[in-house]
Amino acid sequence: IKQDMTDGKATAIVTGKPVMGLSVDPSRGELYFANQGAGEENGFAGSAIEIIDYAGSNVSVVHSLEDYGLEPYSVEGDPSFVIVDFNLDDPGILLFTAHDGTEGFIYQANLFGGLLEKVYTTTTLDIFGLILDAESSMMWWIEHRGVANGVYNAMLEDTPEATYVTYLEESYWLAAVWDYDLMY
């Protein structure tokens, strides 16, 4: 749902899809979102990372996840971020969390389909909110591991090593304002 902040008018821009995570690319006036598809019981049919313009008129699949058997939760993007050994010649990155019914993952991908690489694996299926701190080359996410529920982080590098940051019970989403060193 898109809501006009001046007149309060609400407009549905995506309908008929189970949307979870959302990432804004203001440089292009587009939104990336995690389409959960038909769910695990239906072979993750239709699951994907998709893109739509602010008007809601152009929707397309950026990365189909059905063939990988993945159900995505959150998505985070940065149109200019570069990782030397991943996308040096094609700036911009998407990160997303997902599970395959047995494990949870974080993937990195390019903005236009093509490059897709698993960068983190966990034993829990409950890997949710994800944010990118581009200036520090770090990713932060929420995991529910039973006894160690909370925020984790890792540097974006060849093999990210996860660090447990703090306990949070029943948390699902993260947001940050890095200019003020704030995370919610």
Side-chain angles (χ1 to χ4, degrees), residues 100-124:
D100 68 359
T102 61
E103 296 176 309
F105 309 100
I106 297 176
Y107 278 83
Q108 66 187 19
N110 66 353
L111 298 175
F112 308 108
L115 293 177
L116 183 68
E117 181 178 290
K118 186 186 323 173
V119 295
Y120 175 73
T121 302
T122 181
T123 57
T124 182

Side-chain angles (χ1 to χ4, degrees), residues 136-153:
S136 300
S137 290
M138 292 186 79
M139 58 183 174
W140 301 72
W141 67 93
I142 299 280
E143 253 185 85
H144 291 181
R145 291 188 178 182
V147 295
N149 296 344
V151 177
Y152 290 78
N153 71 5

